[in-house]
């Protein structure tokens, strides 16, 4: 569906020469999926996203959308290709002097739609995003979440095959962000639109995306299914991002007082729903103290990470056997202490 081949984007720095905002990135995004690109500020993710509709022309490489190499297009051909690619922005980009309905209608007028088509399509879009009662309201009277809903309605009014989302929730509070992500998921499922979403928040990617890429310093350092990246991050930068998201650090005071063996246990799939720790306590007579952790579901698959302290009052061999038992019934066990 979307093919980015060896994309580089260089920006001139005057006498200092050029700097690479995007450095030789290649990605394949499948039709109908929600693909996330995550990275810290300055990673190059916004620049990369904007190459997909050529708001930013790549210095080198090619961009192909649905079989058309749009990086070769210009003028009227490029304008037609862009009609199949909607885009929503971090700060909404609404026209303040036009009503909600007029903001949505603007993209339809730009595409040359008739007055009859516009009159039919605008209410359909406002109904889809839950703003039927706001058609005649101006943006200044809308909440941030409502403004983003108008932006979404405007972006998909022309039946695009692709929707680009540039940090769509970063200007919103947590509750509103969650609602917008639910809406994007519904649009993806109901309309089959391929969504490319960038964010600096791993939690956003985890909530809504099917696959993801991790960017740092202009390069993609990891790519894969969202669940797999969270369950077993390979690159040190990805490991750092996942670690910050899970936040399983113990207080220094607690670490100093530990007596026993401290384990970090990764549960995947069925193992996250099984009583492994209860079983090990009964079988080997060990004390199991859960100090930290969580179990959550990513794309309906269970992922659990627990930090536990195992102790046995007298028998070190039983303790070792208990640790081995846990290792054989979970995805990964890391000994943190003891």
């Amino acid at each position: 569906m979307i093919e980015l081949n060896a994309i580089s984007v260089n920006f001139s720095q005057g006498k200092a020469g050029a700097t690479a905002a995007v450095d030789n990135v290649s990605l394949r995004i499948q039709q109908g999926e929600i693909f996330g690109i995550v990275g810290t500020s300055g990673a190059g993710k916004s620049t990369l996203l904007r190459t997909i509709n050529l708001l930013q022309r790549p210095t080198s490489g090619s961009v192909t959308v649905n079989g058309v190499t749009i990086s070769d297009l210009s003028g009227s051909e490029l304008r037609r290709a862009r009609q199949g690619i909607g885009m929503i922005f971090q700060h909404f980009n609404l026209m303040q002097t036009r009503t909600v309905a007029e903001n949505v209608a603007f993209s339809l007028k730009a595409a040359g739609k008739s007055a009859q088509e516009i009159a039919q399509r605008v209410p359909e879009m406002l109904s889809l995003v839950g703003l039927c009662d706001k058609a005649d309201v101006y943006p200044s009277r809308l909440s941030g979440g409502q403004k983003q809903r108008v932006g979404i309605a405007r972006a998909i009014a022309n039946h695009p095959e692709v929707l680009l989302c540039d940090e769509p929730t970063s200007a919103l509070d947590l509750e509103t962000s969650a609602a917008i992500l639910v809406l994007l998921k519904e649009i993806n499922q109901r309309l089959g639109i391929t969504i490319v979403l960038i964010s600096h928040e791993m939690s956003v990617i985890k909530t809504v995306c099917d696959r993801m890429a991790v960017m740092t310093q202009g390069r993609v350092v990891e790519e894969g299914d969202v669940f797999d990246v969270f369950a077993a991050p390979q690159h040190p930068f990805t490991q750092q991002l996942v670690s910050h998201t899970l936040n399983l650090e113990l207080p220094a005071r607690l670490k100093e007082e530990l007596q026993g063996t401290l384990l970090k246990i990764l549960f995947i799939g069925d193992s996250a729903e099984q009583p492994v720790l209860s079983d090990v306590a009964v079988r080997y007579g060990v004390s199991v103290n859960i100090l930290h952790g969580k179990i959550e579901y990513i794309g309906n698959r269970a992922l659990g990470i627990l930090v536990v302290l195992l102790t046995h009052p007298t028998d070190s061999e039983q303790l070792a056997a208990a640790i081995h038992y846990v290792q054989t019934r979970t995805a990964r066990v890391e000994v943190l202490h003891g």
Side-chain angles (χ1 to χ4, degrees):
M1 177 57 175
I2 300 173
E3 297 184 12
L4 304 178
N5 295 296
I7 295 295
S8 291
V9 178
N10 300 328
F11 292 126
S12 175
Q13 297 292 310
K15 294 182 179 179
T19 182
V22 177
D23 187 4
N24 194 34
V25 169
S26 295
L27 290 173
R28 303 290 181 272
I29 298 170
Q30 300 166 10
Q31 184 171 358
E33 73 175 344
I34 304 180
F35 190 91
I37 303 173
V38 68
T40 54
S41 297
K45 55 190 186 296
S46 288
T47 302
L48 180 65
L49 185 80
R50 291 163 68 88
T51 66
I52 296 176
N53 60 0
L54 254 63
L55 287 180
Q56 174 63 59
R57 276 197 177 270
T59 305
S60 60
S62 64
V63 180
T64 302
V65 179
N66 202 22
V68 177
T69 304
I70 67 167
S71 49
D72 291 341
L73 304 181
S74 59
S76 60
E77 289 182 325
L78 177 57
R79 287 192 292 274
R80 282 195 298 271
R82 281 177 173 159
Q83 290 178 13
I85 306 173
M87 189 168 187
I88 61 175
F89 304 88
Q90 177 180 359
H91 296 295
F92 322 126
N93 285 14
L94 302 181
M95 292 175 287
Q96 298 300 311
T97 58
R98 301 196 184 192
T99 65
V100 166
E102 289 169 341
N103 267 277
V104 177
F106 180 80
S107 63
L108 294 163
K109 290 179 180 178
K113 302 298 183 183
S114 68
Q116 182 178 356
E117 288 176 297
I118 293 171
Q120 179 180 347
R121 186 64 172 164
V122 170
E124 290 176 354
M125 290 297 92
L126 294 183
S127 176
L128 180 63
V129 300
L131 292 178
C132 289
D133 60 336
K134 303 294 183 183
D136 298 323
V137 174
Y138 287 90
S140 61
R141 295 175 55 195
L142 299 178
S143 68
Q146 290 170 334
K147 291 176 182 177
Q148 193 59 285
R149 287 173 183 270
V150 177
I152 293 170
R154 180 183 58 188
I156 64 174
N158 280 310
H159 305 280
E161 297 172 317
V162 175
L163 178 61
L164 307 180
C165 304
D166 189 355
E167 297 272 9
T169 63
S170 62
L172 306 175
D173 60 63
L174 290 176
E175 184 177 353
T176 306
S177 295
I180 292 298
L181 293 178
V182 169
L183 176 59
L184 289 174
K185 190 75 171 179
E186 289 176 353
I187 287 170
N188 167 258
Q189 293 173 344
R190 288 177 58 179
L191 305 180
I193 296 176
T194 303
I195 295 178
V196 186
L197 182 151
I198 67 168
S199 179
H200 63 277
E201 301 177 75
M202 289 287 277
S203 58
V204 169
I205 302 298
K206 177 178 61 178
T207 298
V208 73
C209 296
D210 304 308
R211 293 194 306 124
M212 64 182 291
V214 180
M215 285 190 74
T216 183
Q217 298 180 336
R219 288 181 170 269
V220 169
V221 296
E222 191 155 351
E223 180 188 354
D225 290 345
V226 170
F227 184 91
D228 295 336
V229 171
F230 272 83
Q234 301 298 308
H235 192 273
F237 181 72
T238 312
Q239 293 169 358
Q240 183 181 16
L241 291 179
V242 171
S243 176
H244 289 166
T245 301
L246 296 173
N247 190 24
L248 295 178
E249 273 297 310
L250 295 177
R253 169 194 59 78
L254 188 58
K255 292 180 181 179
E256 294 170 358
E257 299 172 357
L258 292 177
Q259 293 184 350
T261 302
L262 185 67
L263 306 176
K264 183 165 73 172
I265 306 170
L266 176 68
F267 301 83
I268 293 178
D270 291 343
S271 69
E273 300 168 352
Q274 300 302 315
V276 176
L277 297 181
S278 298
D279 288 348
V280 79
V282 172
R283 284 173 178 262
Y284 298 98
V286 295
S287 174
V288 179
N289 186 8
I290 299 175
L291 300 176
H292 209 335
K294 61 166 61 174
I295 296 176
E296 57 187 322
Y297 290 82
I298 302 175
N300 294 321
R301 297 171 65 189
L303 173 64
I305 299 180
L306 295 180
V307 178
V308 304
L309 183 67
L310 297 188
T311 57
H312 194 287
T314 59
D315 195 335
S316 60
E317 291 186 0
Q318 283 290 89
L319 180 59
I323 294 171
H324 178 72
Y325 180 87
V326 175
Q327 289 172 328
T328 60
R329 283 158 178 79
T330 56
R332 188 172 68 246
V333 176
E334 180 182 352
V335 177
L336 302 178
H337 174 83

